[in-house]
Amino acid sequence: MERKWSEVEYLHQTVTNPNIIIKGTKSYYSNAWGGNFEDDVVRYLYGDKHSRKNWQPQWPIDRLYIGNYVCIGAETVILMGGNNTHRNDWFSNYPFMEHIVESYKTKGDTIIEDGVWIGMRSMIMPGVRLGEGCIIAAGSIVTKDVAPYTIVGGNPAALIKRRFDEKTTAALLALKIYSLTEEQIEKILPQLCADNLEALRRRISEIK
């Protein structure tokens, strides 16, 4: 099937895994190459369709939370639970089935907050939190939490720059933009797609 860059997969329309929680209707995956988000991007070793159908879970399955207005580039990988049975604090990190339960150490849920942009071919490791409005540069390997409104890149991903100064970032977080309804956000688009903080603050105050 021919795909075009202008065609994206809206996650709320396609995701069926109960452990992937999607907020709102605006988050999308740029699936111009390859398959769909649930099958190709979210790599559940333990928690995919097959394992949920054929295995009795021996530990809680990690969840993936995706906020609204999230943009996920082509060929991104979000590595989820099930890979955490290689204990580097044991003499052997091989996942012996006789000790598989005690070998499992959860990394916790993976959380992608509102307004995040993940560049193509990035890999998000288990249990990290991508803060509101952050940007993951293409090809990055994200191994730890990313602060809101920052840009990170590399392997492992490290801070490249802050999108705004600390005062502006704090003000944006205080506005709780993404707690507004999608209809309210439509009303503030002229201010949201700009860089005048006071104008944005006034407009949000007007519509509430």
Side-chain angles (χ1 to χ4, degrees):
M1 181 177 68
E2 182 183 5
R3 297 184 186 275
K4 299 180 176 63
W5 285 109
S6 57
E7 297 174 359
V8 298
E9 173 188 350
Y10 284 96
L11 304 183
H12 73 286
Q13 296 176 341
T14 60
V15 169
T16 62
N17 191 321
N19 299 299
I20 304 175
I21 294 87
I22 308 296
K23 174 185 173 184
T25 68
K26 303 299 184 182
S27 293
Y28 68 82
Y29 171 52
S30 295
N31 63 342
W33 300 337
N36 65 32
F37 177 80
E38 189 171 344
D39 292 336
D40 282 18
V41 174
V42 184
R43 304 291 176 87
Y44 263 112
L45 180 62
Y46 188 74
D48 62 359
K49 291 177 184 178
H50 175 78
S51 64
R52 286 187 285 115
K53 180 180 179 181
N54 296 286
W55 300 344
Q56 180 64 37
Q58 298 183 71
W59 48 73
I61 297 174
D62 298 341
R63 293 189 168 192
L64 169 61
Y65 293 89
I66 300 178
N68 211 358
Y69 300 90
V70 171
C71 310
I72 301 175
E75 298 188 329
T76 291
V77 170
I78 301 175
L79 194 61
M80 294 300 297
N83 300 297
N84 308 322
T85 54
H86 302 275
R87 291 283 295 267
N88 60 20
D89 58 333
W90 289 1
F91 297 129
S92 175
N93 59 25
Y94 186 86
F96 293 101
M97 289 306 297
E98 296 87 344
H99 296 277
I100 199 68
V101 174
E102 58 262 45
S103 72
Y104 182 78
K105 293 186 70 174
T106 182
K107 299 291 186 180
D109 297 330
T110 299
I111 301 171
I112 302 174
E113 296 186 359
D114 303 295
V116 170
W117 177 18
I118 302 175
M120 70 166 60
R121 295 183 177 172
S122 294
M123 177 176 286
I124 312 302
M125 298 301 286
V128 302
R129 177 187 289 266
L130 307 185
E132 178 181 312
C134 73
I135 298 173
I136 311 301
S140 299
I141 310 295
V142 181
T143 62
K144 60 184 179 180
D145 293 354
V146 178
Y149 293 98
T150 59
I151 302 173
V152 301
N155 179 14
L159 179 67
I160 295 174
K161 64 179 290 187
R162 300 182 185 278
R163 292 181 59 191
F164 310 105
D165 60 42
E166 291 186 13
K167 183 178 179 181
T168 301
T169 296
L172 288 170
L173 293 173
L175 285 174
K176 299 186 183 300
I177 296 165
Y178 298 102
S179 67
L180 299 173
T181 66
E182 291 178 1
E183 291 76 16
Q184 288 175 316
I185 288 178
E186 290 289 329
K187 295 178 181 178
I188 66 169
L189 287 185
Q191 293 75 35
L192 197 57
C193 299
D195 60 0
N196 186 326
L197 181 60
E198 288 306 314
L200 177 61
R201 183 182 282 119
R202 285 195 303 270
R203 185 60 180 139
I204 290 176
S205 179
E206 290 170 358
I207 67 168
K208 282 188 172 181

